[in-house]
Amino acid sequence: MPSVIDLSPEAPLHIVGDLVGWEEKLTSGLVPYDLSKAFSNESLWLDGKVMPDRLVIDKRREWMPDGFRSQDAILVASSKAREIIESHDPGVHQFFPLEVTWRNGEPVGGEWFSFNVYARQDSIVIEQSALEESGGPATKHRPAMPVTYRMNHHKKDVTLNESRLGALNLWREQKVNESLLCSNALHDAFKAEGLRFFRSFKTKAAQVSAR
């Protein structure tokens, strides 16, 4: 079964850093929050002209992972991780060159890219998964709001309807916010190459009656 990638802020591969000079590049009323929504949740094809050029890592590390999350939910991949993702989902996702340095200005070794997972599927079975739910009918404290769902990375209990899975190897879910999933093939490819690409947990197959 596919795996859910842990994008929670407390995840081991959430690395604190600053996107230097990014706000100066934004045009047409865009603010970092607009693009961070795309990094974390929304299906939005991004314009490379407004993408960050440089990420400054707050604290020096003994090793750098091949995939991590940083300021404004930006996703970062090493050149090797990008190569593997592209070989499995050619032309599906967006990659943008990103200079990654330590706080003193010294470059972090290797080539780096910010990346945008644009593709979506609708494979999670809501009623058989432990998700965080918000919204719903009006209460005395708030008006009625649409029900929305997001991943619960603590319970690690997500069920998929296999009949809804297409050919994608890396994707977000249409009905679940801040989701990122990968296929067995992609997960195994990362492992075979010894890449450290986020923490993840396996999903379960849905019961036959799942809608």
Side-chain angles (χ1 to χ4, degrees):
M1 291 296 292
S3 298
V4 173
I5 293 174
D6 190 349
L7 295 180
S8 57
E10 65 271 20
L13 299 188
H14 183 98
I15 298 177
V16 177
D18 296 319
L19 294 170
V20 178
W22 183 25
E23 293 191 34
E24 288 79 357
K25 294 185 66 177
L26 299 179
T27 58
S28 302
L30 286 172
V31 295
Y33 175 70
D34 295 322
L35 295 187
S36 70
K37 287 190 297 182
F39 296 149
S40 64
N41 184 49
E42 293 188 359
S43 182
L44 178 65
W45 194 254
L46 300 176
D47 183 350
K49 294 180 181 179
V50 298
M51 291 299 293
D53 295 319
R54 183 183 177 205
L55 174 66
V56 177
I57 303 299
D58 194 50
K59 293 182 180 179
R60 184 179 288 271
R61 299 168 55 95
E62 293 184 4
W63 58 272
M64 286 292 289
D66 292 279
F68 63 93
R69 203 181 193 197
S70 192
Q71 180 186 337
D72 288 300
I74 194 170
L75 298 174
V76 182
S78 68
S79 57
K80 186 61 179 178
R82 176 197 180 190
E83 178 183 326
I84 293 175
I85 293 171
E86 284 280 78
S87 70
H88 285 74
D89 283 343
V92 174
H93 314 292
Q94 292 181 287
F95 291 87
F96 306 94
L98 183 68
E99 179 187 6
V100 182
T101 70
W102 304 117
R103 182 61 65 185
N104 65 0
E106 180 184 344
V108 173
E111 283 187 280
W112 298 92
F113 300 85
S114 60
F115 69 102
N116 177 34
V117 179
Y118 180 73
R120 288 198 169 209
Q121 293 189 130
D122 181 18
S123 59
I124 290 181
V125 182
I126 300 295
E127 63 270 21
Q128 293 183 21
S129 301
L131 303 171
E132 295 180 9
E133 180 180 335
S134 61
T139 69
K140 63 180 181 180
H141 301 294
R142 61 162 177 80
M145 299 176 64
V147 175
T148 60
Y149 301 93
R150 61 182 295 177
M151 285 294 182
N152 187 323
H153 293 283
H154 299 291
K155 292 190 176 180
K156 296 179 173 57
D157 184 6
V158 173
T159 298
L160 302 186
N161 186 331
E162 293 180 278
S163 68
R164 298 182 196 161
L165 293 172
L168 292 171
N169 289 281
L170 187 65
W171 72 93
R172 297 189 185 278
E173 280 289 317
Q174 291 180 10
K175 297 177 182 176
V176 181
N177 295 333
E178 297 192 25
S179 58
L180 186 61
L181 288 80
C182 71
S183 67
N184 281 336
L186 184 58
H187 182 276
D188 291 347
F190 287 142
K191 188 174 181 180
E193 293 293 332
L195 268 62
R196 292 167 166 168
F197 190 82
F198 293 99
R199 181 174 64 182
S200 63
F201 61 89
K202 287 289 186 182
T203 60
K204 299 183 297 185
Q207 301 298 318
V208 176
S209 60
R211 293 181 282 109

